[in-house]
Amino acid sequence: MKSCLECGDKIIGREDKKFCGDGCRNAFNNKMNKDQNNLMRNINNKLRKNYRILCELNPEGKTKINRNTMISKGFDFDYCTSILKTKTGNTYYFMYDYGYMETDNRYFVLVKKES
């Protein structure tokens, strides 16, 4: 007779079952993935925050903004979802469909990709 990997209770049912129920299966998997989930959750939170800031600062789809304005809102330049290098040598950093490119004098051009 097999025992539940989480609580040790006897398992009734299919031969390949590892847990006595959904609660134990979820608890076991949550414990196994906790560290990885915390890292991923923190990164996703930073990406979401960056995305919200770009949406707020760029309602028209294209604008120019000072670096300090982005920093004061909590923008984290270490996180993006993709990088686009143009043929002219410009580099855009994107959070999904919103992006930015650094220009001279601590200014950024904010853009939104066409759908």
Side-chain angles (χ1 to χ4, degrees):
M1 178 126 347
K2 288 182 79 176
S3 297
C4 175
L5 293 177
E6 177 63 17
C7 70
D9 284 354
K10 151 175 115 168
I11 296 177
I12 300 170
R14 290 191 344 241
E15 196 174 300
D16 61 341
K17 236 174 138 178
K18 296 179 182 178
F19 305 98
C20 61
D22 289 339
C24 280
R25 180 178 47 81
N26 288 335
F28 180 86
N29 287 321
N30 286 343
K31 276 194 248 174
M32 294 300 290
N33 296 323
K34 186 176 183 189
D35 291 336
Q36 182 179 4
N37 284 344
N38 284 339
L39 174 66
M40 292 170 66
R41 186 180 309 112
N42 291 339
I43 291 170
N44 286 333
N45 285 339
K46 289 176 185 183
L47 290 171
R48 266 193 295 278
K49 184 174 184 179
N50 279 355
Y51 185 81
R52 283 193 302 269
I53 292 167
L54 290 177
C55 288
E56 176 189 337
L57 295 175
N58 187 18
E60 302 298 318
K62 187 168 186 180
T63 192
K64 192 173 183 180
I65 197 95
N66 186 293
R67 179 184 185 93
N68 291 335
T69 303
M70 294 172 75
I71 290 171
S72 71
K73 298 228 177 248
F75 194 86
D76 190 335
F77 291 94
D78 291 334
Y79 293 90
C80 68
T81 58
S82 64
I83 299 171
L84 172 69
K85 294 191 185 224
T86 66
K87 291 178 184 175
T88 58
N90 294 327
T91 302
Y92 287 88
Y93 298 89
F94 279 90
M95 254 56 61
Y96 307 103
D97 57 339
Y98 280 89
Y100 63 92
M101 177 189 73
E102 188 167 13
T103 63
D104 53 351
N105 299 328
R106 301 182 58 82
Y107 276 88
F108 290 89
V109 172
L110 306 184
V111 296
K112 183 176 185 204
K113 281 184 189 175
E114 296 290 321
S115 303

